[in-house]
Amino acid sequence: MLRRCLSSSSAPVRLRRSHRESFFGGRPELAREGYIYACADIRGRYKSEGKFIMSRPLADHHDPKAVDESTDTWDTVDWLLKNVSGNNGRAGFVGTSYPGFLAMMAGIDPHPAVRAISRRRP
């Protein structure tokens, strides 16, 4: 996670979820611009629990035990807002290629904090 040092104001969280090592090639320019920049491994990759399924199909969101990339995204945003100090209660997603697909999943039954999604080449 990257964030601007010595900042007294709250900042939005910019999140990148990936199936590859998430923090390789972090985005310090986003931290310099005042964002809290976080990277997360998706289910079943590296230090993330569960079974990895590439392009996991959408789950029935009426089933509280169902999981897919959108439910995992909701949980990630919720955890970050509750556990990272200095956030302003807003979150946005960035991603290119498969992480772009993962960013778009944040828009399916989105967490109320999700305000922006930027994807390239999903």
Side-chain angles (χ1 to χ4, degrees), residues 98-110:
Y98 191 67
F101 163 77
L102 297 170
M104 290 189 320
M105 294 298 102
I108 298 171
D109 291 335

Side-chain angles (χ1 to χ4, degrees), residues 23-88:
F23 210 68
F24 186 72
R27 305 282 305 269
E29 69 276 10
L30 292 175
R32 281 193 298 273
E33 292 297 320
Y35 294 98
I36 298 169
Y37 182 68
C39 297
D41 297 323
I42 64 171
R43 181 180 296 271
R45 300 297 285 172
Y46 303 98
K47 294 185 178 184
S48 183
E49 298 175 350
K51 180 181 178 186
F52 171 70
I53 299 173
M54 187 77 161
S55 301
R56 183 182 297 271
L58 289 176
D60 175 4
H61 289 194
H62 294 100
D63 177 357
K65 293 184 181 181
V67 295
D68 62 19
E69 297 305 340
S70 67
T71 61
D72 287 351
T73 299
W74 176 289
D75 293 343
T76 302
V77 170
D78 202 54
W79 187 91
L80 285 166
L81 296 180
K82 290 176 181 174
N83 291 283
V84 175
S85 63
N87 75 75
N88 67 3

